[in-house]
Amino acid sequence: MQERVLAHEKIEVIWNTEIRAIHGSKETGVDSVTLFDRVTGEERNYPTRGVFIAIGHKPNTDLFKGILDMDEVGYLETEGRTMKTNIPGVFACGDAQDSYYRQAVTAAGTGCMAAIDAERFLAEVEHEAVVNTASNW
């Protein structure tokens, strides 16, 4: 992907720079951005008709290495269509778990799925505790 970007005639790569503001309106869309050069400390206005922001392709899951099951890239593996991990009561979702879509909408959707899985897990644990307590009578 990096080679494709660098070779593309319509893409200008601006290194060591962050976007401080995006300018435009609902009617006309983006017309410029304020750029901050992290090396020189200078800010400048850069005319553009659009902005695309990518956050990367490697999930930030290193803290779970050796604890939760992961694929070879580092995405957390879940059971079937659920958000259950290999540890009962631990659920994974969003771009830490979804190697295909990796989008915010997916994170929101799978976050809801994980919450439902967690709710069902807690209800099951609570039910087992009640059954175990009752069997001790």
Side-chain angles (χ1 to χ4, degrees):
M1 185 180 293
Q2 185 175 353
E3 291 171 3
R4 287 174 37 209
V5 166
L6 294 172
H8 199 288
E9 63 188 42
K10 293 184 178 182
I11 297 176
E12 176 185 0
V13 177
I14 304 172
W15 301 101
N16 303 309
T17 303
E18 60 187 70
I19 295 175
R20 288 282 172 96
I22 300 172
H23 309 284
S25 69
K26 291 181 188 177
E27 294 77 30
T28 61
V30 174
D31 57 46
S32 68
V33 292
T34 300
L35 300 179
F36 173 74
D37 186 314
R38 292 189 316 253
V39 175
T40 66
E42 295 176 21
E43 272 192 5
R44 67 182 171 117
N45 191 54
Y46 183 81
T48 187
R49 297 294 303 147
V51 176
F52 176 79
I53 300 172
I55 60 170
H57 293 281
K58 182 183 181 303
N60 189 12
T61 57
D62 288 348
L63 69 147
F64 302 114
K65 275 189 179 166
I67 301 166
L68 297 176
D69 290 345
M70 300 180 181
D71 67 12
E72 62 281 347
V73 179
Y75 289 96
L76 301 176
E77 294 181 343
T78 52
E79 181 182 307
R81 292 176 33 181
T82 74
M83 301 294 106
K84 297 176 185 177
T85 66
N86 58 297
I87 297 179
V90 177
F91 304 90
C93 62
D95 55 0
Q97 174 267 342
D98 181 8
S99 64
Y100 188 75
Y101 293 104
R102 295 179 258 170
Q103 300 295 321
V105 71
T106 304
T110 59
C112 179
M113 292 167 68
I116 290 169
D117 284 344
E119 178 184 28
R120 290 178 179 158
F121 171 82
L122 292 172
E124 187 177 309
V125 169
E126 182 179 281
H127 174 73
E128 288 174 6
V130 169
V131 169
N132 288 339
T133 303
S135 65
N136 289 332
W137 289 88

